[in-house]
Amino acid sequence: MGFWKTWFNTSDSVATNKTTSFDEHTGATGSMPGSDTSGNTRSQERIVFSTERDIDLYELEELCDAVGWSRRPLRKVKKAIEHSFLVASMWQVRGNQRRLIGFARATSDHAFNATIWDVVVHPDFQGKGLGKALMKYVLKKLRSEEISNVTLFADPHVLDFYRSMGFMSDPEGIKGMFWYPH
């Protein structure tokens, strides 16, 4: 349980609403990089997290294109989102405009286990701690549902990112197996 204790203590509560701001979630103060610090709320930028499933599939496809992912049939993406246990999105909000800049989802047995899938952050927002904040948001939501075993699949170039968050390769010597149709 050492991993979870580093992320969650008893005084750390999960937001009960479906949308959380970056500032609320991370304890950050001030504006996000690139935002107007003059106090002009029209151009001030906020980052918010949401568990609402109102995701424009074309906007999600653009986000995935931006990081170089292969395109997937939108009908299947829609089905994957509908059947996910948790869907988390991260938005850049300026005035009344919002832009999808991050996404992740998790499947689960609704009791013990969850697997995180499709973690993506727009390249313009990488390297600012937002990917870590998105993952922390997802993990908090899963822990609030008493999910105790969280797994994920990661491409080799992002392994260090997940390791820095406490994920381990093959804990306790468990080896995953895969089946693919021929």
Side-chain angles (χ1 to χ4, degrees):
M1 289 303 288
F3 167 75
W4 292 114
K5 286 180 185 174
T6 62
W7 283 94
F8 312 101
N9 60 40
T10 55
S11 65
D12 201 6
S13 63
V14 176
T16 56
N17 61 356
K18 297 223 178 207
T19 304
T20 305
S21 75
F22 179 76
D23 293 349
E24 289 173 63
H25 180 70
T26 63
T29 58
S31 304
M32 287 302 301
S35 65
D36 181 1
T37 58
S38 67
N40 183 348
T41 57
R42 240 179 156 211
S43 61
Q44 193 167 25
E45 176 181 307
R46 295 180 304 131
I47 303 297
V48 296
F49 299 90
S50 177
T51 56
E52 293 289 333
R53 293 175 188 248
D54 299 348
I55 307 278
D56 181 308
L57 295 177
Y58 294 103
E59 195 171 2
L60 179 57
E61 185 174 57
E62 286 177 14
L63 175 61
C64 294
D65 285 347
V67 296
W69 286 8
S70 299
R71 288 217 170 165
R72 300 181 286 184
L74 291 181
R75 67 178 171 74
K76 285 188 154 194
V77 172
K78 180 181 179 190
K79 190 174 188 178
I81 290 171
E82 289 171 350
H83 292 280
S84 292
F85 177 74
L86 173 70
V87 175
S89 53
M90 183 169 57
W91 303 86
Q92 174 193 42
V93 178
R94 284 186 180 158
N96 61 358
Q97 296 180 329
R98 68 180 197 163
R99 173 183 173 201
L100 181 66
I101 61 167
F103 178 85
R105 66 184 186 89
T107 54
S108 177
D109 62 7
H110 296 248
F112 303 104
N113 305 294
T115 301
I116 298 172
W117 304 94
D118 302 332
V119 178
V120 60
V121 174
H122 193 282
D124 293 347
F125 295 86
Q126 292 177 7
K128 300 176 185 197
L130 293 172
K132 187 173 186 175
L134 177 62
M135 283 297 297
K136 190 173 179 181
Y137 179 76
V138 168
L139 291 168
K140 276 186 152 186
K141 292 293 186 180
L142 292 172
R143 289 297 294 152
S144 74
E145 297 291 330
E146 299 182 7
I147 302 294
S148 57
N149 183 32
V150 179
T151 59
L152 58 79
F153 295 90
D155 290 329
H157 68 281
V158 293
L159 290 177
D160 288 339
F161 168 75
Y162 292 110
R163 283 188 185 117
S164 75
M165 297 186 62
F167 282 88
M168 301 170 272
S169 298
D170 293 327
E172 301 176 19
I174 298 168
K175 301 288 182 187
M177 298 180 75
F178 301 87
W179 179 89
Y180 296 102
H182 296 282

PDB file of all heavy atoms in Angstrom, residues 18-45:
ATOM      1  N   LYS A  18     -18.593  16.612 -11.037  1.00  0.00           N
ATOM      2  CA  LYS A  18     -18.027  15.947 -12.201  1.00  0.00           C
ATOM      3  C   LYS A  18     -16.929  16.758 -12.872  1.00  0.00           C
ATOM      4  O   LYS A  18     -16.264  16.262 -13.748  1.00  0.00           O
ATOM      5  CB  LYS A  18     -19.137  15.649 -13.205  1.00  0.00           C
ATOM      6  CG  LYS A  18     -20.153  14.688 -12.640  1.00  0.00           C
ATOM      7  CD  LYS A  18     -20.519  13.681 -13.648  1.00  0.00           C
ATOM      8  CE  LYS A  18     -21.493  12.713 -13.041  1.00  0.00           C
ATOM      9  NZ  LYS A  18     -21.454  11.455 -13.633  1.00  0.00           N
ATOM     10  N   THR A  19     -16.730  18.003 -12.468  1.00  0.00           N
ATOM     11  CA  THR A  19     -15.702  18.843 -13.060  1.00  0.00           C
ATOM     12  C   THR A  19     -14.863  19.456 -11.961  1.00  0.00           C
ATOM     13  O   THR A  19     -15.383  19.955 -10.975  1.00  0.00           O
ATOM     14  CB  THR A  19     -16.341  19.956 -13.920  1.00  0.00           C
ATOM     15  OG1 THR A  19     -17.178  19.349 -14.893  1.00  0.00           O
ATOM     16  CG2 THR A  19     -15.285  20.789 -14.609  1.00  0.00           C
ATOM     17  N   THR A  20     -13.545  19.408 -12.130  1.00  0.00           N
ATOM     18  CA  THR A  20     -12.608  19.943 -11.164  1.00  0.00           C
ATOM     19  C   THR A  20     -11.603  20.801 -11.908  1.00  0.00           C
ATOM     20  O   THR A  20     -11.124  20.406 -12.965  1.00  0.00           O
ATOM     21  CB  THR A  20     -11.857  18.785 -10.455  1.00  0.00           C
ATOM     22  OG1 THR A  20     -12.814  17.898  -9.898  1.00  0.00           O
ATOM     23  CG2 THR A  20     -10.942  19.299  -9.368  1.00  0.00           C
ATOM     24  N   SER A  21     -11.255  21.952 -11.362  1.00  0.00           N
ATOM     25  CA  SER A  21     -10.261  22.789 -12.021  1.00  0.00           C
ATOM     26  C   SER A  21      -8.865  22.284 -11.685  1.00  0.00           C
ATOM     27  O   SER A  21      -8.648  21.611 -10.680  1.00  0.00           O
ATOM     28  CB  SER A  21     -10.407  24.249 -11.603  1.00  0.00           C
ATOM     29  OG  SER A  21      -9.907  24.434 -10.301  1.00  0.00           O
ATOM     30  N   PHE A  22      -7.913  22.632 -12.529  1.00  0.00           N
ATOM     31  CA  PHE A  22      -6.514  22.279 -12.293  1.00  0.00           C
ATOM     32  C   PHE A  22      -6.071  22.829 -10.945  1.00  0.00           C
ATOM     33  O   PHE A  22      -5.434  22.129 -10.173  1.00  0.00           O
ATOM     34  CB  PHE A  22      -5.642  22.837 -13.422  1.00  0.00           C
ATOM     35  CG  PHE A  22      -4.180  22.545 -13.255  1.00  0.00           C
ATOM     36  CD1 PHE A  22      -3.687  21.285 -13.524  1.00  0.00           C
ATOM     37  CD2 PHE A  22      -3.307  23.524 -12.817  1.00  0.00           C
ATOM     38  CE1 PHE A  22      -2.332  21.002 -13.362  1.00  0.00           C
ATOM     39  CE2 PHE A  22      -1.956  23.250 -12.662  1.00  0.00           C
ATOM     40  CZ  PHE A  22      -1.471  21.983 -12.934  1.00  0.00           C
ATOM     41  N   ASP A  23      -6.435  24.086 -10.656  1.00  0.00           N
ATOM     42  CA  ASP A  23      -6.048  24.706  -9.391  1.00  0.00           C
ATOM     43  C   ASP A  23      -6.616  23.947  -8.203  1.00  0.00           C
ATOM     44  O   ASP A  23      -5.922  23.697  -7.230  1.00  0.00           O
ATOM     45  CB  ASP A  23      -6.511  26.162  -9.328  1.00  0.00           C
ATOM     46  CG  ASP A  23      -5.787  27.045 -10.334  1.00  0.00           C
ATOM     47  OD1 ASP A  23      -4.792  26.580 -10.934  1.00  0.00           O
ATOM     48  OD2 ASP A  23      -6.220  28.179 -10.525  1.00  0.00           O
ATOM     49  N   GLU A  24      -7.901  23.570  -8.273  1.00  0.00           N
ATOM     50  CA  GLU A  24      -8.527  22.820  -7.180  1.00  0.00           C
ATOM     51  C   GLU A  24      -7.864  21.465  -7.018  1.00  0.00           C
ATOM     52  O   GLU A  24      -7.621  21.001  -5.922  1.00  0.00           O
ATOM     53  CB  GLU A  24     -10.006  22.560  -7.477  1.00  0.00           C
ATOM     54  CG  GLU A  24     -10.909  23.750  -7.404  1.00  0.00           C
ATOM     55  CD  GLU A  24     -12.295  23.365  -7.883  1.00  0.00           C
ATOM     56  OE1 GLU A  24     -12.918  22.505  -7.239  1.00  0.00           O
ATOM     57  OE2 GLU A  24     -12.726  23.918  -8.902  1.00  0.00           O
ATOM     58  N   HIS A  25      -7.564  20.828  -8.141  1.00  0.00           N
ATOM     59  CA  HIS A  25      -7.043  19.471  -8.102  1.00  0.00           C
ATOM     60  C   HIS A  25      -5.599  19.417  -7.628  1.00  0.00           C
ATOM     61  O   HIS A  25      -5.220  18.534  -6.874  1.00  0.00           O
ATOM     62  CB  HIS A  25      -7.156  18.817  -9.477  1.00  0.00           C
ATOM     63  CG  HIS A  25      -6.626  17.423  -9.495  1.00  0.00           C
ATOM     64  ND1 HIS A  25      -7.280  16.388  -8.856  1.00  0.00           N
ATOM     65  CD2 HIS A  25      -5.506  16.908 -10.007  1.00  0.00           C
ATOM     66  CE1 HIS A  25      -6.571  15.292  -9.005  1.00  0.00           C
ATOM     67  NE2 HIS A  25      -5.494  15.584  -9.698  1.00  0.00           N
ATOM     68  N   THR A  26      -4.783  20.368  -8.072  1.00  0.00           N
ATOM     69  CA  THR A  26      -3.359  20.299  -7.776  1.00  0.00           C
ATOM     70  C   THR A  26      -2.931  21.220  -6.652  1.00  0.00           C
ATOM     71  O   THR A  26      -1.807  21.124  -6.187  1.00  0.00           O
ATOM     72  CB  THR A  26      -2.536  20.681  -9.020  1.00  0.00           C
ATOM     73  OG1 THR A  26      -2.834  22.030  -9.348  1.00  0.00           O
ATOM     74  CG2 THR A  26      -2.809  19.760 -10.174  1.00  0.00           C
ATOM     75  N   GLY A  27      -3.813  22.140  -6.257  1.00  0.00           N
ATOM     76  CA  GLY A  27      -3.429  23.121  -5.256  1.00  0.00           C
ATOM     77  C   GLY A  27      -2.609  24.254  -5.857  1.00  0.00           C
ATOM     78  O   GLY A  27      -2.011  25.040  -5.145  1.00  0.00           O
ATOM     79  N   ALA A  28      -2.564  24.316  -7.194  1.00  0.00           N
ATOM     80  CA  ALA A  28      -1.796  25.356  -7.869  1.00  0.00           C
ATOM     81  C   ALA A  28      -2.458  26.715  -7.659  1.00  0.00           C
ATOM     82  O   ALA A  28      -3.651  26.809  -7.437  1.00  0.00           O
ATOM     83  CB  ALA A  28      -1.707  25.056  -9.366  1.00  0.00           C
ATOM     84  N   THR A  29      -1.654  27.751  -7.731  1.00  0.00           N
ATOM     85  CA  THR A  29      -2.186  29.104  -7.652  1.00  0.00           C
ATOM     86  C   THR A  29      -1.776  29.859  -8.903  1.00  0.00           C
ATOM     87  O   THR A  29      -0.790  29.531  -9.530  1.00  0.00           O
ATOM     88  CB  THR A  29      -1.655  29.851  -6.414  1.00  0.00           C
ATOM     89  OG1 THR A  29      -0.239  29.869  -6.481  1.00  0.00           O
ATOM     90  CG2 THR A  29      -2.112  29.193  -5.133  1.00  0.00           C
ATOM     91  N   GLY A  30      -2.539  30.846  -9.263  1.00  0.00           N
ATOM     92  CA  GLY A  30      -2.214  31.646 -10.438  1.00  0.00           C
ATOM     93  C   GLY A  30      -2.762  31.023 -11.701  1.00  0.00           C
ATOM     94  O   GLY A  30      -3.556  30.096 -11.667  1.00  0.00           O
ATOM     95  N   SER A  31      -2.320  31.553 -12.828  1.00  0.00           N
ATOM     96  CA  SER A  31      -2.826  31.126 -14.124  1.00  0.00           C
ATOM     97  C   SER A  31      -1.906  30.082 -14.740  1.00  0.00           C
ATOM     98  O   SER A  31      -0.753  29.961 -14.371  1.00  0.00           O
ATOM     99  CB  SER A  31      -2.915  32.332 -15.054  1.00  0.00           C
ATOM    100  OG  SER A  31      -3.709  33.328 -14.469  1.00  0.00           O
ATOM    101  N   MET A  32      -2.456  29.376 -15.687  1.00  0.00           N
ATOM    102  CA  MET A  32      -1.665  28.407 -16.427  1.00  0.00           C
ATOM    103  C   MET A  32      -0.745  29.137 -17.387  1.00  0.00           C
ATOM    104  O   MET A  32      -1.022  30.248 -17.782  1.00  0.00           O
ATOM    105  CB  MET A  32      -2.589  27.466 -17.218  1.00  0.00           C
ATOM    106  CG  MET A  32      -3.318  26.483 -16.344  1.00  0.00           C
ATOM    107  SD  MET A  32      -2.229  25.439 -15.385  1.00  0.00           S
ATOM    108  CE  MET A  32      -1.283  24.648 -16.670  1.00  0.00           C
ATOM    109  N   PRO A  33       0.373  28.495 -17.800  1.00  0.00           N
ATOM    110  CA  PRO A  33       1.275  29.121 -18.761  1.00  0.00           C
ATOM    111  C   PRO A  33       0.511  29.564 -20.005  1.00  0.00           C
ATOM    112  O   PRO A  33      -0.359  28.864 -20.496  1.00  0.00           O
ATOM    113  CB  PRO A  33       2.263  27.995 -19.097  1.00  0.00           C
ATOM    114  CG  PRO A  33       2.196  27.080 -17.918  1.00  0.00           C
ATOM    115  CD  PRO A  33       0.799  27.181 -17.392  1.00  0.00           C
ATOM    116  N   GLY A  34       0.837  30.749 -20.479  1.00  0.00           N
ATOM    117  CA  GLY A  34       0.196  31.272 -21.674  1.00  0.00           C
ATOM    118  C   GLY A  34      -1.086  32.028 -21.395  1.00  0.00           C
ATOM    119  O   GLY A  34      -1.738  32.500 -22.298  1.00  0.00           O
ATOM    120  N   SER A  35      -1.489  32.133 -20.152  1.00  0.00           N
ATOM    121  CA  SER A  35      -2.736  32.834 -19.848  1.00  0.00           C
ATOM    122  C   SER A  35      -2.455  34.271 -19.456  1.00  0.00           C
ATOM    123  O   SER A  35      -1.346  34.634 -19.106  1.00  0.00           O
ATOM    124  CB  SER A  35      -3.503  32.118 -18.744  1.00  0.00           C
ATOM    125  OG  SER A  35      -2.780  32.170 -17.550  1.00  0.00           O
ATOM    126  N   ASP A  36      -3.460  35.074 -19.513  1.00  0.00           N
ATOM    127  CA  ASP A  36      -3.374  36.484 -19.187  1.00  0.00           C
ATOM    128  C   ASP A  36      -3.368  36.629 -17.668  1.00  0.00           C
ATOM    129  O   ASP A  36      -4.289  36.211 -16.996  1.00  0.00           O
ATOM    130  CB  ASP A  36      -4.583  37.201 -19.799  1.00  0.00           C
ATOM    131  CG  ASP A  36      -4.576  38.690 -19.544  1.00  0.00           C
ATOM    132  OD1 ASP A  36      -3.629  39.185 -18.907  1.00  0.00           O
ATOM    133  OD2 ASP A  36      -5.531  39.341 -20.002  1.00  0.00           O
ATOM    134  N   THR A  37      -2.310  37.211 -17.122  1.00  0.00           N
ATOM    135  CA  THR A  37      -2.212  37.379 -15.671  1.00  0.00           C
ATOM    136  C   THR A  37      -2.676  38.753 -15.227  1.00  0.00           C
ATOM    137  O   THR A  37      -2.538  39.110 -14.073  1.00  0.00           O
ATOM    138  CB  THR A  37      -0.763  37.140 -15.192  1.00  0.00           C
ATOM    139  OG1 THR A  37       0.092  38.056 -15.889  1.00  0.00           O
ATOM    140  CG2 THR A  37      -0.332  35.713 -15.431  1.00  0.00           C
ATOM    141  N   SER A  38      -3.233  39.538 -16.134  1.00  0.00           N
ATOM    142  CA  SER A  38      -3.675  40.886 -15.785  1.00  0.00           C
ATOM    143  C   SER A  38      -5.018  40.895 -15.076  1.00  0.00           C
ATOM    144  O   SER A  38      -5.507  41.933 -14.685  1.00  0.00           O
ATOM    145  CB  SER A  38      -3.773  41.739 -17.054  1.00  0.00           C
ATOM    146  OG  SER A  38      -4.816  41.256 -17.879  1.00  0.00           O
ATOM    147  N   GLY A  39      -5.639  39.714 -14.939  1.00  0.00           N
ATOM    148  CA  GLY A  39      -6.940  39.642 -14.296  1.00  0.00           C
ATOM    149  C   GLY A  39      -8.081  39.726 -15.286  1.00  0.00           C
ATOM    150  O   GLY A  39      -9.238  39.683 -14.906  1.00  0.00           O
ATOM    151  N   ASN A  40      -7.790  39.860 -16.554  1.00  0.00           N
ATOM    152  CA  ASN A  40      -8.820  39.911 -17.587  1.00  0.00           C
ATOM    153  C   ASN A  40      -9.430  38.521 -17.731  1.00  0.00           C
ATOM    154  O   ASN A  40      -8.811  37.617 -18.274  1.00  0.00           O
ATOM    155  CB  ASN A  40      -8.201  40.377 -18.914  1.00  0.00           C
ATOM    156  CG  ASN A  40      -9.222  40.518 -20.013  1.00  0.00           C
ATOM    157  OD1 ASN A  40     -10.360  40.070 -19.883  1.00  0.00           O
ATOM    158  ND2 ASN A  40      -8.804  41.133 -21.101  1.00  0.00           N
ATOM    159  N   THR A  41     -10.636  38.329 -17.219  1.00  0.00           N
ATOM    160  CA  THR A  41     -11.251  36.997 -17.221  1.00  0.00           C
ATOM    161  C   THR A  41     -11.623  36.535 -18.609  1.00  0.00           C
ATOM    162  O   THR A  41     -11.815  35.357 -18.832  1.00  0.00           O
ATOM    163  CB  THR A  41     -12.509  36.979 -16.323  1.00  0.00           C
ATOM    164  OG1 THR A  41     -13.401  37.989 -16.790  1.00  0.00           O
ATOM    165  CG2 THR A  41     -12.149  37.210 -14.880  1.00  0.00           C
ATOM    166  N   ARG A  42     -11.725  37.458 -19.544  1.00  0.00           N
ATOM    167  CA  ARG A  42     -12.063  37.056 -20.916  1.00  0.00           C
ATOM    168  C   ARG A  42     -10.985  36.205 -21.530  1.00  0.00           C
ATOM    169  O   ARG A  42     -11.253  35.261 -22.243  1.00  0.00           O
ATOM    170  CB  ARG A  42     -12.239  38.313 -21.748  1.00  0.00           C
ATOM    171  CG  ARG A  42     -13.594  38.295 -22.267  1.00  0.00           C
ATOM    172  CD  ARG A  42     -14.093  39.302 -23.060  1.00  0.00           C
ATOM    173  NE  ARG A  42     -15.126  38.508 -23.709  1.00  0.00           N
ATOM    174  CZ  ARG A  42     -15.579  38.657 -24.875  1.00  0.00           C
ATOM    175  NH1 ARG A  42     -15.212  39.632 -25.573  1.00  0.00           N
ATOM    176  NH2 ARG A  42     -16.449  37.871 -25.382  1.00  0.00           N
ATOM    177  N   SER A  43      -9.725  36.579 -21.294  1.00  0.00           N
ATOM    178  CA  SER A  43      -8.648  35.836 -21.926  1.00  0.00           C
ATOM    179  C   SER A  43      -7.920  34.928 -20.943  1.00  0.00           C
ATOM    180  O   SER A  43      -6.973  34.274 -21.314  1.00  0.00           O
ATOM    181  CB  SER A  43      -7.664  36.808 -22.577  1.00  0.00           C
ATOM    182  OG  SER A  43      -7.107  37.653 -21.605  1.00  0.00           O
ATOM    183  N   GLN A  44      -8.349  34.910 -19.689  1.00  0.00           N
ATOM    184  CA  GLN A  44      -7.696  34.056 -18.714  1.00  0.00           C
ATOM    185  C   GLN A  44      -7.992  32.600 -19.008  1.00  0.00           C
ATOM    186  O   GLN A  44      -9.115  32.229 -19.328  1.00  0.00           O
ATOM    187  CB  GLN A  44      -8.139  34.407 -17.299  1.00  0.00           C
ATOM    188  CG  GLN A  44      -7.254  33.770 -16.262  1.00  0.00           C
ATOM    189  CD  GLN A  44      -7.488  34.355 -14.891  1.00  0.00           C
ATOM    190  OE1 GLN A  44      -8.540  34.871 -14.609  1.00  0.00           O
ATOM    191  NE2 GLN A  44      -6.490  34.243 -14.047  1.00  0.00           N
ATOM    192  N   GLU A  45      -6.982  31.805 -18.902  1.00  0.00           N
ATOM    193  CA  GLU A  45      -7.073  30.390 -19.232  1.00  0.00           C
ATOM    194  C   GLU A  45      -7.152  29.557 -17.965  1.00  0.00           C
ATOM    195  O   GLU A  45      -6.446  29.816 -17.003  1.00  0.00           O
ATOM    196  CB  GLU A  45      -5.830  30.000 -20.032  1.00  0.00           C
ATOM    197  CG  GLU A  45      -5.731  28.555 -20.368  1.00  0.00           C
ATOM    198  CD  GLU A  45      -4.460  28.279 -21.142  1.00  0.00           C
ATOM    199  OE1 GLU A  45      -4.218  28.941 -22.152  1.00  0.00           O
ATOM    200  OE2 GLU A  45      -3.713  27.389 -20.709  1.00  0.00           O
TER     201      GLU A  45
END
